[in-house]
Amino acid sequence: MASSPAAAQHLHDLARLRRVRDRIDREYAQPLDDPFEADDDHALQRV
């Protein structure tokens, strides 16, 4: 698949970036745990 070390590193970097992006998406989708954070978030939405 990868014909050179640079190409292999590029594919490795792309796979790592996809994993990081997926993790960020999963964590962003989680509800807030802290009631104070949730209250602050609600207050910001009212502004």
Side-chain angles (χ1 to χ4, degrees):
M1 186 177 199
S3 58
S4 72
Q9 182 63 43
H10 181 69
L11 292 175
H12 177 72
D13 292 344
L14 287 175
R16 180 179 289 179
L17 287 170
R18 280 194 301 269
R19 287 192 300 271
V20 169
R21 184 191 61 203
D22 291 344
R23 182 176 178 186
I24 290 170
D25 289 345
R26 281 192 307 273
E27 289 181 7
Y28 183 77
Q30 297 296 321
L32 295 173
D33 293 340
D34 187 357
F36 294 109
E37 287 182 24
D39 190 42
D40 288 345
D41 185 49
H42 183 67
L44 290 174
Q45 291 177 0
R46 285 185 272 161
V47 173

